[in-house]
Amino acid sequence: MIKNDKYRELKVLHQNKPKILMVDDRDENLLALERLLEDLPVLLYKANSGNEALKLTLHHNFALALLDIQMPDMDGYELAEILRQEEKTANLPFIFISAIYTDSANIFKGYRKGAFSYITKPFEPEVLLSKVRFFIDKYRQELELNIKSEELQRSNEELESFSYSVSHDLRAPLRAIDGYASILLEDYYDKLDDDGQRFLSIVKDEATRMGNLIDDLLSFSRLNRKEQIIEPVDMKKLADHVMDKIRDAHKGLNINYNCSSLHEVCGDKSLLQQVWVNLLGNAVKYRAADQEPKINVTSKLDKATEQVVFSVEDKGVGFNTKYADKLFGVFQRLHRDDEFEGTGIGLALVRRIVNRHGGDVWAESELGKGSTFYFSLPILKQQITSNNHA
């Protein structure tokens, strides 16, 4: 969950003036910097040593640090190294300012320590001012981006919680409808005329369909709440296991299933199993009425994107590619309920799972000739190595 204190901290930082840390062991140098920067919309903090600077970073969030190099006890290079090692200041931009270490070797050393810029004295005041303005603008832009990101994440979490609560609360009245409809069918069926029997059967069927929809919606809402357990996954074994379950559920149906050896990936096994459940299940469901399902599963390495691309090809009814962009949206269906039953959440679930693993999902199809669904997942490091040696 989003921590409210983090969001409030970002808002406060954005509302207040950015803070700049100036570090120099000579007061006259600090005073000169202060006078140069005093007209900027910033708060200036002065430190006469590396230790003083480190203490200030414990209590303040700085947008930029201006560091002298030659200082007693701890020079600017050492201070920069410590700043980079601490989590709070690891990304703090800093500029070295030096009148002594002006040779190329020291300048290169400064950049190697993580400096964003290196200014040698004497310098043009406008040069330093322009660099400071740049980092202040960059700091504010990053804050705005982080605030928007936090707001978006909070909105998504609130929407997911709302979906979960609504779906959960719908279960009780739906169970009552289904229960009373079952009682009427069992005890009063013969007392109803033909229309009454038909209407009651429709109520029962629609309650069942609504129950399936709620179950799928709950699964979709729970997905982001589930902590991923990342481990090596044998995708060939996983796909075959899912197909065995599908065959058990469709006894008497001759499913022509061909799965070549598939690349192993790292991911959450239970989530990736759900991907196969939906894609292989759809390949069986959306078959032509007069044909047995024909399914071909493959995988290949894509060097350019460093991803493994899996494909599930069927020879089913296909779909109009004009509406392909709707496939992976929640409640989006390209076939009527009286043609193929479903809730329109399965492929949205596939996309969310694959996206959470750092991959993508897409599809190709032609009406009456079948479809091919693709999804990509990051390549294992050993696959990259072995592929380079091949």
Side-chain angles (χ1 to χ4, degrees), residues 88-144:
K88 186 178 181 182
T89 54
N91 297 313
L92 171 64
F94 58 84
I95 299 173
F96 281 126
I97 302 175
S98 179
I100 299 176
Y101 298 102
T102 59
D103 58 281
S104 58
N106 273 291
I107 293 174
F108 178 74
K109 182 178 179 180
Y111 283 113
R112 200 169 63 235
K113 293 294 182 181
F116 281 79
S117 187
Y118 196 111
I119 295 178
T120 58
K121 297 177 181 178
F123 60 84
E124 289 292 331
E126 192 56 41
V127 171
L128 179 58
L129 280 171
S130 65
K131 291 180 182 293
V132 171
R133 290 192 190 99
F134 170 80
F135 284 109
I136 293 305
D137 289 342
K138 180 173 178 291
Y139 173 77
R140 286 204 172 278
Q141 290 169 5
E142 288 177 352
L143 276 180
E144 288 176 2

Side-chain angles (χ1 to χ4, degrees), residues 150-169:
E150 295 289 341
E151 289 174 344
L152 179 60
Q153 190 173 344
R154 270 208 309 191
S155 296
N156 285 338
E157 289 184 351
E158 288 169 0
L159 182 59
E160 286 168 8
S161 295
F162 174 75
S163 298
Y164 182 86
S165 298
V166 169
S167 301
H168 187 271
D169 292 343

Side-chain angles (χ1 to χ4, degrees), residues 200-211:
L200 191 56
S201 295
I202 292 173
V203 170
K204 176 73 173 172
D205 291 343
E206 290 301 302
T208 299
R209 193 164 73 92
M210 186 64 178

Side-chain angles (χ1 to χ4, degrees), residues 2-114:
I2 296 292
K3 292 183 178 179
N4 288 331
D5 56 348
K6 180 182 178 183
Y7 178 72
R8 283 196 295 268
E9 180 184 353
L10 287 170
K11 292 288 285 185
V12 169
L13 288 174
H14 188 263
Q15 291 165 359
N16 294 335
K17 291 181 179 179
K19 298 176 180 179
I20 294 180
L21 174 63
M22 305 179 299
V23 187
D24 198 303
D25 62 322
R26 300 180 63 177
D27 289 333
E28 59 269 29
N29 289 339
L30 290 174
L31 182 60
L33 284 175
E34 187 175 27
R35 288 179 176 173
L36 178 62
L37 305 176
E38 63 184 358
D39 291 332
L40 295 179
V42 296
L43 296 176
L44 301 174
Y45 290 77
K46 296 181 285 187
N48 288 111
S49 68
N51 285 327
E52 282 186 29
L54 292 175
K55 289 178 182 178
L56 285 171
T57 61
L58 294 176
H59 304 288
H60 302 278
N61 290 290
F62 290 104
L64 176 67
L66 306 176
L67 310 181
D68 183 31
I69 296 177
Q70 188 183 36
M71 295 184 293
D73 299 326
M74 182 190 303
D75 65 26
Y77 294 138
E78 293 171 318
L79 174 59
E81 193 167 345
I82 294 173
L83 290 174
R84 283 289 171 263
Q85 291 172 354
E86 294 297 321
E87 182 179 356
K88 186 178 181 182
T89 54
N91 297 313
L92 171 64
F94 58 84
I95 299 173
F96 281 126
I97 302 175
S98 179
I100 299 176
Y101 298 102
T102 59
D103 58 281
S104 58
N106 273 291
I107 293 174
F108 178 74
K109 182 178 179 180
Y111 283 113
R112 200 169 63 235
K113 293 294 182 181

Side-chain angles (χ1 to χ4, degrees), residues 219-226 271 349 352-353 356:
S219 296
F220 191 75
S221 297
R222 286 193 192 108
L223 182 58
N224 275 1
R225 300 165 180 264
K226 184 182 184 301
L271 292 180
L349 197 64
R352 180 169 286 193
I353 291 171
R356 283 192 70 187

Side-chain angles (χ1 to χ4, degrees), residues 181-198 200-201:
S182 297
I183 292 172
L184 288 172
L185 284 172
E186 292 172 7
D187 299 342
Y188 298 93
Y189 188 78
D190 56 350
K191 296 180 181 179
L192 299 172
D193 59 18
D194 291 344
D195 284 341
Q197 292 172 358
R198 182 169 61 86
L200 191 56
S201 295

